[in-house]
DNA sequence: ACAATAATATGAGATATCTCATATTTTGGG
DNA sequence: CCCAAAATATGAGATATCTCATATTATTGT
């Protein structure tokens, strides 16, 4: 299936480089090395287990990180959005088991060839500082999610997820994605959603859910927050 | 309780700086800035919610990262060992909710004052590259633990934990610590341990457990591993 | 437009895990 | 050496969550 990633050339490439310049993230001239690539929905940006030759910086779109376990179970580890890096592990480590990354919408990224830029990147203070910040946030988020996932029932985590992903007061994530992400069975996710509806927190409208009582959801979600909190 | 952290001076300090030199991790002369500190068992290296003024590098000992939730629930997020950094989040971010870090054995670390070194550190390629590696490993480990925690029952995670923390063929972690770390109730942890004994995987010897059938434990633990794996 | 596939839905029984109650043993501080 | 607190233990009932079975409804490729 779809492995027809498109590389923008000429004017289109130039346009992206200008409108979404990332030159301030580097202290050397990065532009000439960048390939501007577009991945279609469901296309794999990185195949699980295959070492990528590029460092990616996401310009627009979104993607998901997956890992497959030996028993065949597939787990959605995280979402990737604009301004995230992909493939930084391969830049930093000789040996690394690469996770799978799949675009969940049309996704445009800047691809920086490691074989030409690795040394430059690893000598670049501006870039390293930027990457360090990115990784520290990533590590913190993961740590939070980890302890939350273990410490609280789905009720709380789902309330948080709904509030975070709602479009206005409409929640419309796909159930299959959500139960992967929250690590629960489809059956149980539906069960809790029905409860939310019965309690009047949500109201089902066809395929979507309307948020009726955001305060109640906030009350459930706030339990996950630690002490003072900084938003993010 | 115990907040009498001791700072080594003179010869003792000099000794540590020489025997555990970290000058290769920096491209400027760091030695003169370093304070060598010793924290006693159960002493808090960083208090939750209080912004530390130092970046720490652990030389010997071990510690635990805790976070307290609004409902009073306390969660053990991770262990810290020799060669780990503490307080790097505060170096990188203006605003950050600091987690609590408690020594679980006598712990010696190098404390680098941020008010004197922040700018130097953030300009230092060698250090940034090092820190980036550290953070990338941390982020990956957390991501793995997260998805594992959600995806597998205690049986599998405990088998893994036992094998990882066993001293030879003797497992002797404190139950209270373990159930914090694995995010399960004390009752349930005991329940699964009893099962392991009944199945002959472990044998209880007073306060410790003797590993009888490591292969069976490995079989359970291996389920957590993804595809190829790289150890770490 | 049709067939195949993915996503949504719902029920029922099985497990994993939690909570609470209570008892015994170990440990650290005075 | 003694006490209070922490850690260990065990039972019983309540919940959260999973698995499997089975229908119905989108979506997608051709």
């Amino acid at each position: 299936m779809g492995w027809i990633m498109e590389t923008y050339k000429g004017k289109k490439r130039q346009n992206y480089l200008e409108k979404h310049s990332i030159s301030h993230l580097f202290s050397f001239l990065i532009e000439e090395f960048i390939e501007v690539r577009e991945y279609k929905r469901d296309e794999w940006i990185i195949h699980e287990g295959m070492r990528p030759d590029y460092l990616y910086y996401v310009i627009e779109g979104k993607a998901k990180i997956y890992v497959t376990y030996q028993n065949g179970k597939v787990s959605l580890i995280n979402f990737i959005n604009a301004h995230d890096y992909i493939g930084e592990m391969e830049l930093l480590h000789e040996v690394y088991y690469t996770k799978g990354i799949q675009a969940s919408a049309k996704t445009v990224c800047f691809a920086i060839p490691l074989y030409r830029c690795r040394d430059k990147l690893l000598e670049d203070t501006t870039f390293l500082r930027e990457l360090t910040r990115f990784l520290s946030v990533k590590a913190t988020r993961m740590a939070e999610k980890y302890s939350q996932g273990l410490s609280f029932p789905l009720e709380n985590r789902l309330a948080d997820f709904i509030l975070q992903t709602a479009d206005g007061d409409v929640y419309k994530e796909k159930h299959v994605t959500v139960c992967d992400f929250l690590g629960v069975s489809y059956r149980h996710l539906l069960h809790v959603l029905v409860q939310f509806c019965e309690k009047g927190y949500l109201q089902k409208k066809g395929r979507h859910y309307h948020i009726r009582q955001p305060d109640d959801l906030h009350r459930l979600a706030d339990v996950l927050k630690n002490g003072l909190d900084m938003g993010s």
Side-chain angles (χ1 to χ4, degrees), chain A:
Chain A
M1 71 127 74
W3 41 278
I4 5 72
M5 163 269 291
E6 179 188 348
T7 303
Y8 294 171
K9 300 288 185 188
K11 201 162 211 165
K12 195 168 187 184
R13 170 176 181 277
Q14 214 44 49
N15 241 319
Y16 263 93
L17 287 178
E18 281 162 22
K19 291 219 170 163
H20 305 274
S21 172
I22 58 170
S23 56
H24 62 289
L25 304 178
F26 304 83
S27 46
F28 66 100
L29 282 179
I30 188 78
E31 245 89 43
E32 56 171 317
F33 298 107
I34 296 178
E35 288 183 23
V36 182
R37 293 179 173 183
E38 175 190 312
Y39 291 87
K40 307 247 181 319
R41 187 166 183 281
D42 291 337
E43 198 171 353
W44 291 92
I45 301 176
I46 294 182
H47 288 271
E48 187 169 355
M50 309 259 293
R51 195 178 175 77
D53 301 318
Y54 291 79
L55 172 70
Y56 300 88
Y57 184 78
V58 178
I59 299 303
E60 56 181 53
K62 49 186 174 178
K64 300 176 201 158
I65 309 177
Y66 285 104
V67 65
T68 308
Y69 292 98
Q70 294 189 336
N71 60 2
K73 194 163 196 166
V74 175
S75 181
L76 173 59
I77 295 197
N78 214 350
F79 293 104
I80 288 178
N81 294 294
H83 311 303
D84 283 345
Y85 291 92
I86 301 178
E88 77 285 353
M89 298 304 293
E90 292 75 8
L91 166 67
L92 297 165
H93 300 277
E94 289 305 321
V95 183
Y96 176 68
Y97 179 76
T98 304
K99 289 159 184 52
I101 299 191
Q102 185 181 37
S104 50
K106 181 187 120 178
T107 297
V108 178
C109 31
F110 290 170
I112 301 165
L114 293 182
Y115 60 99
R116 299 179 70 187
C117 296
R118 165 173 271 124
D119 295 342
K120 281 189 174 63
L121 291 171
L122 293 178
E123 284 298 332
D124 184 343
T125 320
T126 311
F127 168 71
L128 285 174
R129 205 158 45 214
E130 161 79 8
L131 184 58
T132 307
R133 278 218 184 81
F134 169 75
L135 286 171
S136 68
V137 170
K138 186 169 166 180
T140 307
R141 292 242 176 94
M142 278 299 171
E144 275 167 13
K145 283 210 322 189
Y146 168 68
S147 70
Q148 287 171 8
L150 293 176
S151 300
F152 299 98
L154 180 60
E155 187 177 47
N156 300 101
R157 291 179 288 133
L158 180 59
D160 186 53
F161 183 81
I162 289 174
L163 292 170
Q164 279 196 41
T165 57
D167 184 359
D169 57 358
V170 177
Y171 168 74
K172 50 184 170 185
E173 293 299 317
K174 292 210 293 192
H175 298 333
V176 277
T177 307
V178 178
C179 52
D180 259 358
F181 186 60
L182 296 180
V184 295
S185 68
Y186 185 88
R187 190 66 193 81
H188 190 52
L189 173 63
L190 267 283
H191 182 229
V192 175
L193 277 172
V194 167
Q195 280 186 6
F196 280 6
C197 289
E198 280 170 354
K199 288 177 181 166
Y201 303 169
L202 301 177
Q203 183 170 7
K204 197 165 174 181
K205 296 261 180 163
R207 184 151 302 281
H208 300 165
Y209 291 81
H210 194 88
I211 299 179
R212 283 276 168 204
Q213 294 164 210
D215 294 351
D216 287 302
L217 290 178
H218 273 295
R219 186 177 38 73
L220 286 175
D222 282 350
V223 176
L224 305 185
K225 304 284 160 47
N226 44 243
L228 301 160
D229 195 20
M230 53 157 190
S232 87

PDB file of all heavy atoms in Angstrom, chain A residues 27-48:
ATOM      1  N   SER A  27      22.520  26.982  13.337  1.00  0.00           N
ATOM      2  CA  SER A  27      23.468  28.078  13.149  1.00  0.00           C
ATOM      3  C   SER A  27      24.308  27.868  11.891  1.00  0.00           C
ATOM      4  O   SER A  27      25.269  28.579  11.657  1.00  0.00           O
ATOM      5  CB  SER A  27      24.343  28.271  14.392  1.00  0.00           C
ATOM      6  OG  SER A  27      24.841  27.051  14.863  1.00  0.00           O
ATOM      7  N   PHE A  28      23.932  26.887  11.078  1.00  0.00           N
ATOM      8  CA  PHE A  28      24.556  26.794   9.750  1.00  0.00           C
ATOM      9  C   PHE A  28      23.457  26.835   8.710  1.00  0.00           C
ATOM     10  O   PHE A  28      22.266  26.777   9.047  1.00  0.00           O
ATOM     11  CB  PHE A  28      25.401  25.516   9.630  1.00  0.00           C
ATOM     12  CG  PHE A  28      24.607  24.241   9.684  1.00  0.00           C
ATOM     13  CD1 PHE A  28      24.291  23.554   8.516  1.00  0.00           C
ATOM     14  CD2 PHE A  28      24.182  23.715  10.903  1.00  0.00           C
ATOM     15  CE1 PHE A  28      23.566  22.370   8.576  1.00  0.00           C
ATOM     16  CE2 PHE A  28      23.463  22.526  10.959  1.00  0.00           C
ATOM     17  CZ  PHE A  28      23.147  21.867   9.792  1.00  0.00           C
ATOM     18  N   LEU A  29      23.836  26.932   7.461  1.00  0.00           N
ATOM     19  CA  LEU A  29      22.814  27.063   6.426  1.00  0.00           C
ATOM     20  C   LEU A  29      22.198  25.708   6.127  1.00  0.00           C
ATOM     21  O   LEU A  29      22.801  24.863   5.466  1.00  0.00           O
ATOM     22  CB  LEU A  29      23.433  27.659   5.160  1.00  0.00           C
ATOM     23  CG  LEU A  29      23.641  29.174   5.223  1.00  0.00           C
ATOM     24  CD1 LEU A  29      24.293  29.673   3.941  1.00  0.00           C
ATOM     25  CD2 LEU A  29      22.296  29.869   5.442  1.00  0.00           C
ATOM     26  N   ILE A  30      21.014  25.517   6.619  1.00  0.00           N
ATOM     27  CA  ILE A  30      20.375  24.204   6.530  1.00  0.00           C
ATOM     28  C   ILE A  30      19.559  24.078   5.240  1.00  0.00           C
ATOM     29  O   ILE A  30      19.421  23.009   4.672  1.00  0.00           O
ATOM     30  CB  ILE A  30      19.466  23.962   7.761  1.00  0.00           C
ATOM     31  CG1 ILE A  30      18.949  22.519   7.803  1.00  0.00           C
ATOM     32  CG2 ILE A  30      18.287  24.919   7.762  1.00  0.00           C
ATOM     33  CD1 ILE A  30      19.945  21.540   8.293  1.00  0.00           C
ATOM     34  N   GLU A  31      19.053  25.216   4.760  1.00  0.00           N
ATOM     35  CA  GLU A  31      18.099  25.213   3.658  1.00  0.00           C
ATOM     36  C   GLU A  31      18.497  24.304   2.491  1.00  0.00           C
ATOM     37  O   GLU A  31      17.710  23.512   2.012  1.00  0.00           O
ATOM     38  CB  GLU A  31      17.898  26.641   3.138  1.00  0.00           C
ATOM     39  CG  GLU A  31      16.494  27.168   3.339  1.00  0.00           C
ATOM     40  CD  GLU A  31      16.340  27.860   4.692  1.00  0.00           C
ATOM     41  OE1 GLU A  31      17.245  28.622   5.060  1.00  0.00           O
ATOM     42  OE2 GLU A  31      15.333  27.598   5.377  1.00  0.00           O
ATOM     43  N   GLU A  32      19.727  24.446   2.052  1.00  0.00           N
ATOM     44  CA  GLU A  32      20.115  23.706   0.844  1.00  0.00           C
ATOM     45  C   GLU A  32      20.024  22.189   1.009  1.00  0.00           C
ATOM     46  O   GLU A  32      19.898  21.463   0.044  1.00  0.00           O
ATOM     47  CB  GLU A  32      21.545  24.094   0.457  1.00  0.00           C
ATOM     48  CG  GLU A  32      22.534  23.869   1.584  1.00  0.00           C
ATOM     49  CD  GLU A  32      23.995  24.046   1.133  1.00  0.00           C
ATOM     50  OE1 GLU A  32      24.332  23.548   0.053  1.00  0.00           O
ATOM     51  OE2 GLU A  32      24.773  24.685   1.888  1.00  0.00           O
ATOM     52  N   PHE A  33      20.077  21.714   2.274  1.00  0.00           N
ATOM     53  CA  PHE A  33      20.048  20.268   2.486  1.00  0.00           C
ATOM     54  C   PHE A  33      18.638  19.707   2.573  1.00  0.00           C
ATOM     55  O   PHE A  33      18.413  18.513   2.441  1.00  0.00           O
ATOM     56  CB  PHE A  33      20.775  19.917   3.791  1.00  0.00           C
ATOM     57  CG  PHE A  33      22.227  20.289   3.786  1.00  0.00           C
ATOM     58  CD1 PHE A  33      22.679  21.364   4.532  1.00  0.00           C
ATOM     59  CD2 PHE A  33      23.137  19.554   3.028  1.00  0.00           C
ATOM     60  CE1 PHE A  33      24.023  21.706   4.527  1.00  0.00           C
ATOM     61  CE2 PHE A  33      24.482  19.887   3.024  1.00  0.00           C
ATOM     62  CZ  PHE A  33      24.927  20.972   3.778  1.00  0.00           C
ATOM     63  N   ILE A  34      17.685  20.590   2.849  1.00  0.00           N
ATOM     64  CA  ILE A  34      16.335  20.125   3.160  1.00  0.00           C
ATOM     65  C   ILE A  34      15.579  19.590   1.952  1.00  0.00           C
ATOM     66  O   ILE A  34      15.532  20.226   0.905  1.00  0.00           O
ATOM     67  CB  ILE A  34      15.506  21.270   3.792  1.00  0.00           C
ATOM     68  CG1 ILE A  34      16.110  21.676   5.139  1.00  0.00           C
ATOM     69  CG2 ILE A  34      14.053  20.855   3.960  1.00  0.00           C
ATOM     70  CD1 ILE A  34      15.392  22.819   5.806  1.00  0.00           C
ATOM     71  N   GLU A  35      14.988  18.415   2.134  1.00  0.00           N
ATOM     72  CA  GLU A  35      14.011  17.925   1.166  1.00  0.00           C
ATOM     73  C   GLU A  35      12.629  18.173   1.756  1.00  0.00           C
ATOM     74  O   GLU A  35      12.392  17.856   2.912  1.00  0.00           O
ATOM     75  CB  GLU A  35      14.179  16.412   0.955  1.00  0.00           C
ATOM     76  CG  GLU A  35      15.413  16.035   0.175  1.00  0.00           C
ATOM     77  CD  GLU A  35      15.489  14.519  -0.055  1.00  0.00           C
ATOM     78  OE1 GLU A  35      14.421  13.862  -0.008  1.00  0.00           O
ATOM     79  OE2 GLU A  35      16.600  14.026  -0.251  1.00  0.00           O
ATOM     80  N   VAL A  36      11.740  18.722   0.967  1.00  0.00           N
ATOM     81  CA  VAL A  36      10.383  18.941   1.446  1.00  0.00           C
ATOM     82  C   VAL A  36       9.520  17.781   0.960  1.00  0.00           C
ATOM     83  O   VAL A  36       9.397  17.556  -0.236  1.00  0.00           O
ATOM     84  CB  VAL A  36       9.820  20.284   0.927  1.00  0.00           C
ATOM     85  CG1 VAL A  36       8.423  20.501   1.479  1.00  0.00           C
ATOM     86  CG2 VAL A  36      10.741  21.426   1.303  1.00  0.00           C
ATOM     87  N   ARG A  37       8.954  17.050   1.915  1.00  0.00           N
ATOM     88  CA  ARG A  37       8.225  15.840   1.535  1.00  0.00           C
ATOM     89  C   ARG A  37       6.781  15.877   2.002  1.00  0.00           C
ATOM     90  O   ARG A  37       6.490  16.392   3.070  1.00  0.00           O
ATOM     91  CB  ARG A  37       8.879  14.626   2.178  1.00  0.00           C
ATOM     92  CG  ARG A  37      10.248  14.339   1.642  1.00  0.00           C
ATOM     93  CD  ARG A  37      10.780  13.135   2.366  1.00  0.00           C
ATOM     94  NE  ARG A  37      12.032  12.687   1.802  1.00  0.00           N
ATOM     95  CZ  ARG A  37      12.670  11.608   2.228  1.00  0.00           C
ATOM     96  NH1 ARG A  37      12.153  10.891   3.209  1.00  0.00           N
ATOM     97  NH2 ARG A  37      13.809  11.250   1.675  1.00  0.00           N
ATOM     98  N   GLU A  38       5.938  15.285   1.207  1.00  0.00           N
ATOM     99  CA  GLU A  38       4.537  15.174   1.598  1.00  0.00           C
ATOM    100  C   GLU A  38       4.152  13.701   1.706  1.00  0.00           C
ATOM    101  O   GLU A  38       4.390  12.925   0.787  1.00  0.00           O
ATOM    102  CB  GLU A  38       3.641  15.849   0.559  1.00  0.00           C
ATOM    103  CG  GLU A  38       2.171  15.662   0.869  1.00  0.00           C
ATOM    104  CD  GLU A  38       1.279  16.108  -0.277  1.00  0.00           C
ATOM    105  OE1 GLU A  38       1.489  17.208  -0.807  1.00  0.00           O
ATOM    106  OE2 GLU A  38       0.380  15.322  -0.652  1.00  0.00           O
ATOM    107  N   TYR A  39       3.582  13.336   2.858  1.00  0.00           N
ATOM    108  CA  TYR A  39       3.092  11.975   3.051  1.00  0.00           C
ATOM    109  C   TYR A  39       1.576  12.022   3.090  1.00  0.00           C
ATOM    110  O   TYR A  39       0.994  12.901   3.726  1.00  0.00           O
ATOM    111  CB  TYR A  39       3.623  11.392   4.353  1.00  0.00           C
ATOM    112  CG  TYR A  39       5.110  11.135   4.320  1.00  0.00           C
ATOM    113  CD1 TYR A  39       6.010  12.142   4.649  1.00  0.00           C
ATOM    114  CD2 TYR A  39       5.608   9.898   3.931  1.00  0.00           C
ATOM    115  CE1 TYR A  39       7.378  11.919   4.603  1.00  0.00           C
ATOM    116  CE2 TYR A  39       6.967   9.662   3.882  1.00  0.00           C
ATOM    117  CZ  TYR A  39       7.848  10.672   4.219  1.00  0.00           C
ATOM    118  OH  TYR A  39       9.193  10.449   4.175  1.00  0.00           O
ATOM    119  N   LYS A  40       0.968  11.045   2.437  1.00  0.00           N
ATOM    120  CA  LYS A  40      -0.493  10.997   2.437  1.00  0.00           C
ATOM    121  C   LYS A  40      -0.994  10.327   3.710  1.00  0.00           C
ATOM    122  O   LYS A  40      -0.257   9.629   4.391  1.00  0.00           O
ATOM    123  CB  LYS A  40      -0.984  10.205   1.225  1.00  0.00           C
ATOM    124  CG  LYS A  40      -0.432  10.694  -0.098  1.00  0.00           C
ATOM    125  CD  LYS A  40      -1.495  11.278  -0.972  1.00  0.00           C
ATOM    126  CE  LYS A  40      -0.919  11.751  -2.305  1.00  0.00           C
ATOM    127  NZ  LYS A  40       0.405  12.429  -2.191  1.00  0.00           N
ATOM    128  N   ARG A  41      -2.275  10.532   3.962  1.00  0.00           N
ATOM    129  CA  ARG A  41      -2.956   9.866   5.064  1.00  0.00           C
ATOM    130  C   ARG A  41      -2.671   8.364   5.029  1.00  0.00           C
ATOM    131  O   ARG A  41      -2.738   7.747   3.967  1.00  0.00           O
ATOM    132  CB  ARG A  41      -4.455  10.123   4.910  1.00  0.00           C
ATOM    133  CG  ARG A  41      -5.345   9.684   6.009  1.00  0.00           C
ATOM    134  CD  ARG A  41      -6.711  10.348   5.787  1.00  0.00           C
ATOM    135  NE  ARG A  41      -7.647  10.034   6.842  1.00  0.00           N
ATOM    136  CZ  ARG A  41      -8.316   8.885   6.929  1.00  0.00           C
ATOM    137  NH1 ARG A  41      -8.134   7.938   6.047  1.00  0.00           N
ATOM    138  NH2 ARG A  41      -9.151   8.684   7.931  1.00  0.00           N
ATOM    139  N   ASP A  42      -2.336   7.811   6.175  1.00  0.00           N
ATOM    140  CA  ASP A  42      -2.082   6.378   6.338  1.00  0.00           C
ATOM    141  C   ASP A  42      -0.733   5.915   5.779  1.00  0.00           C
ATOM    142  O   ASP A  42      -0.369   4.755   5.909  1.00  0.00           O
ATOM    143  CB  ASP A  42      -3.185   5.524   5.714  1.00  0.00           C
ATOM    144  CG  ASP A  42      -4.487   5.657   6.488  1.00  0.00           C
ATOM    145  OD1 ASP A  42      -4.423   6.015   7.678  1.00  0.00           O
ATOM    146  OD2 ASP A  42      -5.553   5.429   5.901  1.00  0.00           O
ATOM    147  N   GLU A  43      -0.001   6.818   5.160  1.00  0.00           N
ATOM    148  CA  GLU A  43       1.304   6.429   4.629  1.00  0.00           C
ATOM    149  C   GLU A  43       2.305   6.337   5.782  1.00  0.00           C
ATOM    150  O   GLU A  43       2.223   7.083   6.752  1.00  0.00           O
ATOM    151  CB  GLU A  43       1.760   7.497   3.623  1.00  0.00           C
ATOM    152  CG  GLU A  43       2.862   7.039   2.695  1.00  0.00           C
ATOM    153  CD  GLU A  43       3.114   8.065   1.586  1.00  0.00           C
ATOM    154  OE1 GLU A  43       2.337   9.044   1.494  1.00  0.00           O
ATOM    155  OE2 GLU A  43       4.092   7.899   0.855  1.00  0.00           O
ATOM    156  N   TRP A  44       3.236   5.404   5.682  1.00  0.00           N
ATOM    157  CA  TRP A  44       4.241   5.250   6.736  1.00  0.00           C
ATOM    158  C   TRP A  44       5.417   6.182   6.478  1.00  0.00           C
ATOM    159  O   TRP A  44       6.058   6.098   5.432  1.00  0.00           O
ATOM    160  CB  TRP A  44       4.721   3.813   6.837  1.00  0.00           C
ATOM    161  CG  TRP A  44       3.659   2.907   7.365  1.00  0.00           C
ATOM    162  CD1 TRP A  44       2.756   2.196   6.631  1.00  0.00           C
ATOM    163  CD2 TRP A  44       3.356   2.661   8.747  1.00  0.00           C
ATOM    164  NE1 TRP A  44       1.902   1.504   7.474  1.00  0.00           N
ATOM    165  CE2 TRP A  44       2.250   1.768   8.776  1.00  0.00           C
ATOM    166  CE3 TRP A  44       3.910   3.094   9.952  1.00  0.00           C
ATOM    167  CZ2 TRP A  44       1.690   1.320   9.961  1.00  0.00           C
ATOM    168  CZ3 TRP A  44       3.357   2.638  11.135  1.00  0.00           C
ATOM    169  CH2 TRP A  44       2.257   1.766  11.132  1.00  0.00           C
ATOM    170  N   ILE A  45       5.688   7.062   7.420  1.00  0.00           N
ATOM    171  CA  ILE A  45       6.843   7.949   7.294  1.00  0.00           C
ATOM    172  C   ILE A  45       8.100   7.176   7.671  1.00  0.00           C
ATOM    173  O   ILE A  45       9.134   7.272   7.029  1.00  0.00           O
ATOM    174  CB  ILE A  45       6.668   9.184   8.210  1.00  0.00           C
ATOM    175  CG1 ILE A  45       5.397   9.934   7.809  1.00  0.00           C
ATOM    176  CG2 ILE A  45       7.891  10.086   8.132  1.00  0.00           C
ATOM    177  CD1 ILE A  45       5.058  11.110   8.703  1.00  0.00           C
ATOM    178  N   ILE A  46       7.974   6.380   8.730  1.00  0.00           N
ATOM    179  CA  ILE A  46       9.070   5.488   9.099  1.00  0.00           C
ATOM    180  C   ILE A  46       8.476   4.109   9.367  1.00  0.00           C
ATOM    181  O   ILE A  46       7.480   3.982  10.079  1.00  0.00           O
ATOM    182  CB  ILE A  46       9.789   5.995  10.365  1.00  0.00           C
ATOM    183  CG1 ILE A  46      10.498   7.323  10.072  1.00  0.00           C
ATOM    184  CG2 ILE A  46      10.801   4.961  10.849  1.00  0.00           C
ATOM    185  CD1 ILE A  46      11.267   7.872  11.258  1.00  0.00           C
ATOM    186  N   HIS A  47       9.072   3.101   8.780  1.00  0.00           N
ATOM    187  CA  HIS A  47       8.608   1.743   9.003  1.00  0.00           C
ATOM    188  C   HIS A  47       9.243   1.189  10.264  1.00  0.00           C
ATOM    189  O   HIS A  47      10.443   1.358  10.484  1.00  0.00           O
ATOM    190  CB  HIS A  47       8.962   0.865   7.807  1.00  0.00           C
ATOM    191  CG  HIS A  47       8.147   1.164   6.595  1.00  0.00           C
ATOM    192  ND1 HIS A  47       6.944   0.562   6.330  1.00  0.00           N
ATOM    193  CD2 HIS A  47       8.355   2.040   5.596  1.00  0.00           C
ATOM    194  CE1 HIS A  47       6.451   1.041   5.210  1.00  0.00           C
ATOM    195  NE2 HIS A  47       7.280   1.942   4.733  1.00  0.00           N
ATOM    196  N   GLU A  48       8.438   0.508  11.061  1.00  0.00           N
ATOM    197  CA  GLU A  48       8.941  -0.044  12.315  1.00  0.00           C
ATOM    198  C   GLU A  48      10.114  -0.982  12.045  1.00  0.00           C
ATOM    199  O   GLU A  48      10.049  -1.857  11.188  1.00  0.00           O
ATOM    200  CB  GLU A  48       7.819  -0.799  13.041  1.00  0.00           C
ATOM    201  CG  GLU A  48       8.222  -1.261  14.419  1.00  0.00           C
ATOM    202  CD  GLU A  48       7.043  -1.757  15.238  1.00  0.00           C
ATOM    203  OE1 GLU A  48       5.901  -1.660  14.763  1.00  0.00           O
ATOM    204  OE2 GLU A  48       7.277  -2.235  16.367  1.00  0.00           O
TER     205      GLU A  48
END
